[in-house]
Amino acid sequence: MAKIIVDPVTRIEGHLKLEVEVEDNVVVDAWTGGTLWRGFELILQGRDARDAEQLVQRICGVCPTSHATAGAMALDDAMGIEPPPNGRIIRNLILGSNYMHSHILHFFHLAALDYVKGPDIAPFKPRYEADYRLPADVNAQAVDIYLEALTIRRKAHEMGAIWGGKLPHVQAIVPGGVSEVPDTSKIYKFLNYLEEIQAFIDNKYVPLVKAVAEVYSDWFSIGVGCQNFLCYGGFPLEEGRDHVKKKKFWDSGVYIRGQYKEFDPGLIAEEVTYSWYEDDTGGNTPDVAVVTADAYKKGAYSWIKSPRYNGEAMEVGPLARQWVNQNPDVIALGDKAFSVMGRHFARAVETSQLAKAMKEWVLQLEPGQPVCTPHELPKKEVVGVGLCEGSRGALGHWHRISADGRTKVYNAVVPTTWNSGPRTGSGAATVRGPMEQAIIGTRVADPSNPVELVRIVRSMDPCYGCAIHVMTPNGKTLSQFAVS
Ligand code: NI
């Protein structure tokens, strides 16, 4: 049996090692391993708990606002407070602006070159050579849009900075709400940016994804995955301290083994059987999770833990959100939604949907009204939970705070942990992670150019690197690419 190793997978964010076994060019088993340990949770221990929402933004430069949101929500929860309407809306606008940036970045600058043939110069090279099928005129247009998307991403950041102070790491999201006050000039400035970004999404991003989906229609049946979806729910539309129950732009829910169910945060647990952590975290709920590293653990192959929902692997992200919330355009795809193209389609559709909604939200702001609820930390040990939808999917922060106001345990269970965590269990009881499941069964036409595998990985929008090595099982390098 031959093995293909792609390490690291490029044009994603972060460091992923992908290893697959192939038989007659078909993948029969897969291992997705996160190869970079950050240890952020350890950095937070013992610090003033109120600094957490600033510190956790440094987990990522692409989705810091998601961490700011979850971090602030966990502090709100710990203190028993919630933002006033202006604070809730401005948090939504900051996070929504980052979605515009992140989804456009993902499709154009990470995934598009799997389908669009760029000129043979940087930044379009090096790359895997794919079966480029777009008609020449559409392909040429796509290359122009790729370049335009760079400007649009900058504008999405500028739009978010109107409320966030700056991007990517925002200052304005604080416990109890935000620190930025609304006025009419900011509202109109925001609307101007949004107008231009929305036009790009509706006239260029969505049509291009549809054009790609049409010519790559076979990719509506490749990269199926676990078909279980989890959505914590995101962008609250009303006040109320019960995050799961209150009305949100995308409501909370799960789709599990073909059934829609209510989301119960109590069913989330983490396992570390195949992760480089001491086994004392196995099966624990996230608020008591310990993150003691064990780099020499036998059988482990990832720094990512394996979150499970009632023991099940769950896919998170745009497809999960749209499927759980039964978006008619995505539901109309039927089983074809569970695929590489289904994920790209769901992501494009929700970008447009969100841009439209943000236009309404910004007009609901009331200048002169409060943006933040006064607060103080309780003088006893307390746990706060912040659940939201980051651009890449369900994001949860669990924050245990000591009676002296210091962080005792911090645990961020991020979307890529759900999608790309290693397997759990063993033998017949093995539950592979969603990305591993999506890759198994894929035909790889040329093992020295495994474009099929990276297409599946990128459809789930995880994280990046700077070189690709494709190797035989005995470690002989078949081909090597330097990637900038
Ligand atoms: Ni990230």
Side-chain angles (χ1 to χ4, degrees), residues 208-222:
L208 183 61
V209 169
K210 286 183 175 167
V212 167
E214 207 177 304
V215 295
Y216 289 91
S217 56
D218 46 332
W219 285 84
F220 274 113
S221 60
I222 300 172

Side-chain angles (χ1 to χ4, degrees), residues 13 60 63 463:
E13 291 136 38
C60 181
C63 32
C463 288

Side-chain angles (χ1 to χ4, degrees), residues 60-135:
C60 181
V62 179
C63 32
T65 55
S66 309
H67 291 293
T69 304
M73 286 172 78
L75 283 165
D76 292 348
D77 188 39
M79 295 191 238
I81 53 168
E82 62 168 325
N86 273 349
R88 167 180 59 78
I89 294 165
I90 291 177
R91 277 191 189 175
N92 285 350
L93 296 174
I94 294 171
L95 183 58
S97 300
N98 189 237
Y99 263 68
M100 308 286 110
H101 170 269
S102 184
H103 282 2
I104 291 169
L105 157 73
H106 171 262
F107 183 71
F108 288 97
H109 303 132
L110 300 179
L113 298 185
D114 292 343
Y115 312 96
V116 173
K117 188 172 183 359
D120 287 338
I121 50 165
F124 304 100
K125 284 217 81 150
R127 60 171 181 251
Y128 284 113
E129 287 309 315
D131 53 334
Y132 297 115
R133 304 180 202 166
L134 285 173

